[in-house]
Amino acid sequence: MSVFSASPRRILSLWLPRLPIDRIRRKLRATLSNEAAPADANANDDPSIVVVKQNNALQVYALDDAAARLGLEIGQPLANARAICPHIKVFDADPAADFRTLNDIADWCDRFTPLVALDAPHGLFLDITGCAHLFGGEAALMQTICAALTRQDFVVSAGIAGTSVCARTIRNHAHGRIVAAGEEAEAVQSLPLFALGADDAIIRGLRRAGLKTIGDVASRERHEITARFGARFTTLLEQALGQGDAPISPRKPLPDYIVEKRFPEPVATEDVISATLSALAKMLVAAMDRQGKGARSLEASFFRTDGVVRAIFVDTGLPVTKVAIIDRLFRERLDALRDPLDPGFGFDLIRLSASRTEIVVQQQRDLDVHVHDSDELAALIDRIAARIGGKRVAVYLPQDTHIPERAVLAVSAQHHLNAATQAKWPERAASEPPLRPLRLFEKPEPIKVPFATVPDGPPHHFTWRRATHVVVRVEGPERVAMEWWKQDGATLTRDYFRVEDEAGLRFWIYRDGLYGSELADAKGNQVAANWFVHGLFA
């Protein structure tokens, strides 16, 4: 279970300055290795840049080490870059692909802390408060993360401080710096202004005023800085100095309970994975039981050694307090996966979390047959939902309207089972036939009715889906008035008929409006264009 200590807040800031070009080069290396083309092995060593269109001109958006050694810079026009290096390799920017890669890296970072936030466009914040000791301390944790990203061919810089802005400022200037709590102001005062990440216009204005370092700006009165450069910059400055805090926004909400198992050697066998999930479920249930809670939403996360993360979600209708139920639900979910849970080279971390919990209300279940039956039904719904998806298991609730297509509302059975069992439906005698069909079409389908049989009564025959049906029995009409305040000028009445054809098929059809309108079909015959079939009787 996750435990949050009262120790000072610590933020690890990661920055991948060449993420766009690193992503492209990794993709090219993977392609070359799959094609086994030694002749092209040196192709990735050529200077490479990524360009983006800005102000109707292509400019350098990212570059690699080889391009940087040639003197190329970000923001430089592509024409100038080609003049310096005619054989440079040029790639188009793909911010969406860069964002997906950054999210994949953030998923990988979840193994260190559940509080991971994006720092657009190419950075991450990790709240490591109270968890760095699990990895040998802050320095060891930062070294582990940076070394792993470097092995994956990403250029990365990092810094740790008490605030996110201070950590970001440090990492922009000095990779690997760790600022102790309370020493933020001293750590950043000698850094240049651009390390703050403020707007270029503000930086130029400060330099014109003779202020070149963060310490120079910090020595001035706050009201002077605010009056000239705005309150937002003053807040940024104070956060860099550790005099204020800017909470990060984690990508995922923090679960109520977290338990996890780390392996010194990666595991890949199904038996070990199942046994680990069962052991984690026992720990999770014990932690929740101490506070009288049960899980309504569970997530099992599997962290592979190559950085790939797979997550499996399970929802329940009632708070779960038994290990056997959690095991069974995840077994159903794993068996129903379209893509099997591929361990690759193995999982080095398996985490089980309860993202939503509720207080368990104790009930007398031994003598109350209805409560026992309700529990069995809820358990069955949970198992089916785990296999085919919760949205596919629905119950229907009556609505306070007489409009047929709005009379019922399909909702998730897991979350509305009690409401469905207590819902009151219109009653009818057992000997009476149903007035409404069991199956309604999502959208009424038009039918062709000869105009000679209209306007007042039901049609003698009609054509639906290219088949003609001769009507032999009719019941109706049942006039339904639409909700005129919601129709926005649409037809306000429908006349419904229950009709049966020669083959015994029973239809629920209606005429839209009080009177039929005259139209002509392809053969020139007059037809009533506003007749529809809305449902079928069993």
Side-chain angles (χ1 to χ4, degrees):
M1 182 179 64
S2 58
V3 178
F4 298 95
S5 65
S7 57
R9 188 159 173 256
R10 304 298 287 167
I11 301 296
L12 168 60
S13 177
L14 296 176
W15 183 250
L16 295 95
R18 298 177 180 176
L19 177 64
I21 196 68
D22 289 343
R23 174 186 61 80
I24 294 173
R25 294 176 71 89
R26 278 167 46 87
K27 184 178 180 180
L28 291 177
R29 288 193 184 99
T31 302
L32 291 176
S33 62
N34 292 335
E35 295 177 354
D40 297 330
N42 296 325
N44 283 328
D45 296 332
D46 295 334
S48 303
I49 61 173
V50 176
V51 297
V52 65
K53 191 172 184 179
Q54 293 181 350
N55 299 325
N56 294 324
L58 291 176
Q59 298 180 1
V60 178
Y61 179 66
L63 43 76
D64 61 4
D65 289 335
R69 286 193 294 267
L70 294 175
L72 302 185
E73 298 178 352
I74 294 177
Q76 192 174 34
L78 175 59
N80 295 0
R82 287 192 183 277
I84 296 173
C85 181
H87 61 278
I88 196 169
K89 298 179 66 174
V90 180
F91 302 94
D92 292 329
D94 189 348
D98 296 339
F99 183 76
R100 289 193 297 268
T101 302
L102 186 63
N103 268 287
D104 291 340
I105 297 174
D107 287 339
W108 176 80
C109 289
D110 281 341
R111 69 186 65 212
F112 303 105
T113 171
L115 299 176
V116 180
L118 299 179
D119 180 21
H122 304 142
L124 296 172
F125 288 127
L126 281 67
D127 191 334
I128 58 174
T129 306
C131 67
H133 67 280
L134 300 174
F135 306 93
E138 294 179 350
L141 173 58
M142 182 167 58
Q143 176 63 26
T144 299
I145 295 176
C146 293
L149 291 174
T150 302
R151 287 194 299 270
Q152 295 295 323
D153 299 324
F154 288 105
V155 176
V156 60
S157 61
I160 298 178
T163 67
S164 58
V165 175
C166 182
R168 181 173 58 191
T169 303
I170 290 295
R171 66 117 205 260
N172 286 344
H173 188 75
H175 167 61
R177 180 82 178 274
I178 299 177
V179 180
E183 298 180 2
E184 290 83 4
E186 182 181 353
V188 302
Q189 65 178 355
S190 62
L191 299 183
L193 291 174
F194 69 83
L196 280 174
D199 293 340
D200 292 339
I202 294 178
I203 300 300
R204 289 194 298 269
L206 290 169
R207 286 176 176 172
R208 292 193 191 100
L211 306 176
K212 299 181 180 180
T213 66
I214 297 177
D216 294 340
V217 181
S219 64
R220 306 300 293 267
E221 295 293 335
R222 293 292 184 269
H223 68 272
E224 298 179 11
I225 302 299
T226 302
R228 177 65 179 83
F229 301 103
R232 180 177 299 180
F233 176 75
T234 303
T235 301
L236 179 69
L237 175 65
E238 291 177 347
Q239 291 170 355
L241 297 172
Q243 300 171 1
D245 195 9
I248 65 175
S249 300
R251 302 163 52 247
K252 303 176 183 178
L254 183 66
D256 294 341
Y257 296 86
I258 300 176
V259 291
E260 60 186 30
K261 173 68 175 178
R262 297 180 183 273
F263 302 95
E265 296 292 337
V267 299
T269 61
E270 190 172 327
D271 293 339
V272 175
I273 294 172
S274 299
T276 302
L277 273 180
S278 182
L280 292 177
K282 188 178 299 183
M283 296 169 57
L284 187 68
V285 169
M288 293 188 298
D289 186 62
R290 287 193 289 268
Q291 298 183 4
K293 293 186 177 181
R296 287 293 305 273
S297 182
L298 295 161
E299 177 184 353
S301 302
F302 303 86
F303 296 81
R304 282 186 0 188
T305 56
D306 60 354
V308 177
V309 182
R310 287 293 302 272
I312 299 175
F313 301 90
V314 169
D315 289 331
T316 63
L318 297 175
V320 174
T321 58
K322 295 181 179 180
V323 176
I325 296 178
I326 297 178
D327 286 343
R328 184 170 57 187
L329 291 177
F330 275 109
R331 187 167 57 251
E332 294 280 358
R333 190 73 187 97
L334 288 170
D335 292 341
L337 287 179
R338 183 174 302 175
D339 297 327
L341 192 64
D342 181 15
F345 293 105
F347 300 115
D348 57 7
L349 170 64
I350 297 179
R351 176 183 294 164
L352 182 62
S353 59
S355 56
R356 187 161 63 95
T357 59
E358 291 182 1
I359 296 177
V360 178
V361 179
Q362 300 296 331
Q363 297 180 356
Q364 177 57 264
R365 300 178 180 272
D366 294 335
L367 302 178
D368 193 336
V369 178
H370 298 290
V371 172
H372 182 69
D373 292 342
S374 178
D375 289 348
E376 290 187 344
L377 178 58
L380 176 61
I381 292 174
D382 289 342
R383 292 182 62 187
I384 298 175
R387 181 167 287 273
I388 66 175
K391 294 182 179 180
R392 299 183 178 181
V393 185
V395 292
Y396 295 92
L397 300 179
Q399 302 298 302
D400 186 18
T401 179
H402 56 275
I403 309 302
E405 58 267 31
R406 304 176 190 168
V408 296
L409 178 66
V411 294
S412 171
Q414 287 183 294
H415 303 134
H416 299 86
L417 182 60
N418 290 335
T421 56
Q422 298 174 6
K424 294 183 179 180
W425 295 86
E427 298 181 358
R428 65 178 179 86
S431 58
E432 295 181 357
L435 300 180
R436 301 284 175 89
L438 293 178
R439 178 189 174 192
L440 281 182
F441 296 147
E442 183 177 357
K443 184 178 181 181
E445 299 184 8
I447 58 177
K448 292 183 179 180
V449 175
F451 185 74
T453 63
V454 189
D456 297 329
H460 297 158
H461 61 276
F462 62 89
T463 301
W464 175 56
R465 295 182 179 178
R466 299 184 180 181
T468 300
H469 302 269
V470 178
V471 177
V472 296
R473 293 182 179 86
V474 177
E475 293 178 347
E478 175 191 357
R479 177 160 292 179
V480 176
M482 297 292 102
E483 298 168 342
W484 55 266
W485 59 94
K486 296 181 180 179
Q487 293 305 305
D488 192 21
T491 305
L492 301 181
T493 59
R494 293 179 184 175
D495 286 341
Y496 280 90
F497 296 89
R498 297 178 293 277
V499 301
E500 182 179 333
D501 67 359
E502 293 177 320
L505 300 177
R506 303 189 67 211
F507 304 86
W508 203 40
I509 65 174
Y510 72 88
R511 181 181 59 218
D512 199 8
L514 292 175
Y515 303 103
S517 60
E518 298 183 12
L519 290 177
D521 59 14
K523 298 181 179 180
N525 300 320
Q526 286 184 324
V527 297
N530 53 348
W531 281 85
F532 300 86
V533 56
H534 202 169
L536 302 175
F537 290 91

